[in-house]
Amino acid sequence: MSNPIPAPFGNPALRAYLAMLRRDRFAVIAVTVLILVLVTGLVIAPLMGDAAVLQDLRARMRPPFQLQFGLHSLLGTDLLGRSVLYRLAAGAQLSVSIALTAAVAAATIGTAIGIWAGYAGGIVEGVAMRIADVILSFPTLLLALLFLYLLDSQTGNIILLLIIGRVPLYIRVARAETLETRGRLFVDAARSLGATSWTICTREIAPVVLPTILTLAALDVGVLMLLESGLSFLGLGVQPPAVSWGGMVAEGRRWINSAWWLTLFPGLAIFLTALSATIFSNWLRVAMDPAHRWRLEGTRPGAASARSGIAS
Amino acid sequence: MNALVHPSAVSTDAAEASPLISVKGLEVEFRTARGTVRAVRGVDMVLRKGETLAVIGESGSGKSVTARAILGILQTPPAYIAGGSIQFKGRDLLRISEKERRSIQGARIAMVFQDALAALNPLLPVGWQIAELFKVHRSLPMWKGYEEAIELLRRTGIPSPEERVNQYPHQFSGGMRQRVVIALAIALSPDILLADEPTTALDVTVQAQVMHLLAKLRSEAGLALLLITHNIAIAAEVADRVAVMYAGRVIEEGPTADVLKRPTHPYTAALASLASDAITGVQAPIPGSPPDLAAIPSGCAFHPRCEMARDVCRQVDPALRTIRQGQRSACHFAEEVSL
Amino acid sequence: MRTRLEGESAGASILSLRNVVKHFGLAGRSVLGKPRGALQAVDGVSLEVGAGETLGLVGESGCGKSTLARLITRLEEPTSGEAYFGGRNIFALSRAELSEYRRGVQMVFQDPYSSLNPRVTIGRTIMRAWESNPGILPRSRWKERAGELLELVGLPADRAGWYPHQLSGGQRQRVAVARALALNPRLVVCDEPVSALDVSIQAQVLALLDDLQKRLGVSYLFISHDLDVVKRIAHRVAVMYLGRIVEEGPAREVFEHPAHPYTQILIASVPVADPDRPRLDRPVIQGDPPSPTAPPSGCRFRTRCPRAQQVCSEIDPSLTMVAGAHTAACHFPTIDGDSSGRALASADARNLADLPL
């Protein structure tokens, strides 16, 4: 019986991942949405210039889907005549970059600390866990208030805040997984082969811990977007004239009965992006686990069949 | 050392008794996201009063699933009974109501599990667990149940039962825990005891103790014992009859001495030779590995590993047929098999 | 049983253990504030493994054989004692020497389901050996050599890209053996390598180990609780009880003429697949093994020994010769069918005139 993904000595190639992706329709949709958001945020938004902040008082408070006014007013306009559509695109840039950066940074830092703490034990573990506990014991909002009161609401500080807030989660998860993995025989085997602690952490433990962390991080991107939106909603997030989805929701709150489109579209954007991140992370978890990959491959794995009579 | 009843005395009586349990054509499937796996593919088995039947097989043979089907503890889903019947005291165990089944489980048919730690509730004292049985099945008050529990622990050879009855499972050693599981099983004086690899997880000296206990209890109470094991030697010691299973089927069946000394199936012959003392040095009589139940070979499931395999073996699945008096085998060339 | 090397030494001994001790301290203090005792997992073990031979180490759970395996492969540090390999004490090696030692002694672990990293292909798993020991094999040759090793253990080389979950238990153990051989060790410690496998597969893996020994001349320290398995593959056998070796000698000798009562009960407890023999008349050992934190005074086995006498609780017997290369730690070993004891060999000469024989 041949391996359906022939790739001696390595992980399945990118093509194989794409094949696995195709098999999960929800994941395809999710990835499409995410790519759309990413492209909008990172490519389109910078090209827009200041289209998002251009005011046009003649075009104030237009309801959406009135095609006679063109693309500018497709999703309606706000109090100052600014295009909701263009602002959505601009907001994507900020929301995505904040969430992505924070997620990647928190995951990397937290996992590294967590694995080290879990493997080394002793004082290192104690200190790491206490730090994590302290951070976790702060209600997020209180932390945000304190933080952003002391430092101003610049994008960089917001990212820093989010990272600090999320790192403990990764420390804990990585440490717990490391503790469990550390006792497994293949770690003993690596030690008896002469592997150093560094090698064991990076080559044996990290690959086992990574899928969980990646799944968490993908999920976290959605969470961070929501957090950032929350902060903006409270006025603690990015300040005008910078545009973010949360800020748009906050501004539109006053007119939620009359100009419903001001809150609906940015809210929808947040919702769909977070949902897509969740679905994608779910797919990723299965795709990365060699033992469960078969669900996405459409074939059944199994021990070598006795049919060929190969001695096993 | 107690003189234990010599087996021949029991088996002649047993041979005349009518079957206590009669399994016919049992089929069990496991339906999972991976597809349907046929774990038991048409099993016939008979257990008589006072008789000990050993079911021998390796992993994937379906022996545990069969026992669980008899006791009615298969998890559905993913396990589904796809066919057959299990006659017990005039009723088909596969078709009785949930209420009837619960009145039988533990009381008329009981099981001794392989993993005592998993079979016992770690949060309750062992006395409580035994007393609960009496409360549920005989409506005895708990304090009375505790008295019975002490007596049972004594019978299964646990020293100082009055103190130990209040202890938790983790406070017992492996062998002692297994005795507790046995006590639980015989508490309500069942007609049939199913023992699923009762000694596999134990040290060899402890194994001897537990097997000794099982045999003693069996003769004292006249129990019928269905012993599931992969260890031929243990089967040889206690069983009157033996059924060998492979890939969900019974492939040989008969009185212990006949099956083990004059086997009529190549698989049995190979297993018997592996177990015999005559082996010196390393020989590997059976190449290959037990088949993937999701992809059972065509014809006779054993043919890829069989040195006697011929064309017909690849095409036609042999039926269980009588080769000698009381001995049946599922092999096209049963008459040619020798140790 | 192996007939080679009966009673003779197998040539040079490659591993020599001298009085190895491993006590695990128990954390915390008792109610009275006294420090809790130690778990005496291994309590003074001396062994020799010869070149190209298989030494079987048998014992039941808790006897310390797995701990001993971990001590030998340097996964644990001993409390005291020495062990010599290649002329050096393996417990006192420098970093560089330790590296070299690892190339000489490797281990096959018990559980095939957790001894391979589930997220690493089996080819990569084998290559770890060379990743951690640069200089043994040039990188360009890694892929090829991994393939060769797989073939050596009976698996097709093109399965190198497979993951462990795609293999059966027996196949995984073969990979574990291939990994152990990657550094060309002279001694492979096998810790219950076949216990988790079906009987028919056990036979295959044992045949493989035997074949490799003939071809490569590698020695095995074969640890198992299964006497039938050890019988087939060991040249010499040592029996462990509660952290000590209680009997040792050529396999045939020990199995056919066991001298120590524990060995006798152990052998007698193994069921025999002969339906014509009267059943269950074999002696059954009494009670539970004592706790390794509080071993009995004198001879450790005396609490369960059918032959125990006064002297057994006072004087701890050491391993003394029974016949040729066969030794046993007992005051009343069975020699030529006679268990009345050899009064003077191991015990203190005082007071012995008073002891009943």
Side-chain angles (χ1 to χ4, degrees), chain C residues 5 10 29 33 40 42 48 53 59 62 77-78 99 114 185 200 244 255 282-283 308-309 330 336 353:
Chain C
L5 311 169
R29 295 177 174 261
Q40 302 176 27
V42 175
E48 309 257 330
E53 76 161 1
E77 298 296 313
S99 259
S114 81
S200 57
R244 296 270 181 84
F255 279 108
R282 35 193 171 99
Q309 314 229 7
C330 180
D336 299 329

Side-chain angles (χ1 to χ4, degrees), chain B residues 209-264:
Chain B
Q209 291 175 323
V210 171
M211 285 315 299
H212 189 89
L213 172 66
L214 272 178
K216 179 180 91 139
L217 293 172
R218 170 196 63 171
S219 1
E220 276 175 8
L223 278 178
L225 178 63
L226 184 86
L227 176 69
I228 295 170
T229 180
H230 63 269
N231 187 329
I232 288 206
I234 289 199
E237 292 205 335
V238 270
D240 305 310
R241 296 176 60 81
V242 152
V244 182
M245 283 185 75
Y246 187 83
R249 286 271 181 87
V250 173
I251 52 101
E252 178 150 16
E253 190 235 332
T256 313
D258 289 334
V259 170
L260 294 183
K261 302 190 77 170
R262 290 169 286 278
T264 52

Side-chain angles (χ1 to χ4, degrees), chain C residues 110-307:
Chain C
Q110 171 173 358
D111 184 359
Y113 297 92
S114 81
S115 68
L116 301 178
N117 190 328
R119 294 188 181 275
V120 177
T121 59
I122 61 178
R124 264 262 119 70
T125 291
I126 295 177
M127 299 204 296
R128 290 270 193 266
W130 306 307
E131 282 171 18
S132 302
N133 292 281
I136 296 241
L137 194 69
R139 215 192 183 98
S140 51
R141 289 252 308 141
W142 285 7
K143 224 165 155 175
E144 189 192 329
R145 183 75 187 130
E148 282 171 21
L149 283 168
L150 285 175
E151 297 272 345
L152 189 64
V153 298
L155 291 170
D158 61 9
R159 296 230 187 137
W162 283 34
Y163 286 91
H165 72 274
Q166 294 173 279
L167 302 175
S168 69
Q171 291 171 322
R172 284 185 228 202
Q173 263 328 41
R174 289 173 188 262
V175 175
V177 172
R179 173 177 58 190
L181 294 175
L183 297 175
N184 294 321
R186 287 165 64 203
L187 171 67
V188 178
V189 177
C190 305
D191 187 3
E192 307 265 13
V194 296
S195 306
L197 306 174
D198 278 328
V199 170
S200 57
I201 311 296
Q202 280 188 10
Q204 291 173 11
V205 175
L206 286 178
L208 170 68
L209 287 174
D210 180 54
D211 180 54
L212 290 171
Q213 183 172 64
K214 290 193 171 74
R215 284 212 249 171
L216 307 173
V218 68
S219 305
Y220 295 125
L221 176 63
F222 195 95
I223 298 173
S224 179
H225 65 274
D226 189 338
L227 288 143
D228 286 331
V229 164
V230 171
K231 232 199 269 188
R232 282 166 213 231
I233 198 168
H235 297 105
R236 284 172 47 236
V237 147
V239 180
M240 255 183 108
Y241 184 79
L242 223 58
R244 296 270 181 84
I245 305 279
V246 298
E247 185 158 3
E248 192 196 335
R252 170 162 277 171
E253 253 293 301
V254 173
F255 279 108
E256 284 179 5
H257 306 290
H260 193 285
Y262 177 61
T263 315
Q264 289 166 347
I265 290 187
L266 205 57
I267 293 174
S269 298
V270 176
V272 168
D274 186 349
D276 291 332
R277 268 180 43 167
R279 300 182 185 182
L280 293 169
D281 63 347
R282 35 193 171 99
V284 168
I285 202 171
Q286 301 305 314
D288 281 340
S291 160
T293 54
S297 63
C299 172
R300 291 168 173 223
F301 186 59
R302 65 170 173 85
T303 52
R304 310 168 83 197
C305 181
R307 307 209 279 258

Side-chain angles (χ1 to χ4, degrees), chain A residues 11 17 55 70 80 93 101 111 186 200 241 244 260 296:
Chain A
N11 272 316
Y17 269 107
Q55 300 178 13
L80 298 173
Q93 178 183 24
T101 315
T111 307
F186 60 81
I200 291 179
S244 86
W260 49 269
L296 298 170

Side-chain angles (χ1 to χ4, degrees), chain A residues 207-261:
Chain A
V208 175
V209 173
L210 216 54
T212 312
I213 299 290
L214 271 179
T215 305
L216 211 55
L219 210 57
D220 226 17
V221 168
V223 170
L224 286 165
M225 280 199 166
L226 289 169
L227 269 175
E228 182 271 320
S229 305
L231 287 175
S232 298
F233 187 76
L234 292 172
L236 294 168
V238 286
Q239 302 299 315
V243 185
S244 86
W245 291 344
M248 288 171 73
V249 173
E251 284 170 16
R253 198 165 54 117
R254 269 178 287 169
W255 293 284
I256 205 162
N257 282 321
S258 46
W260 49 269
W261 56 94

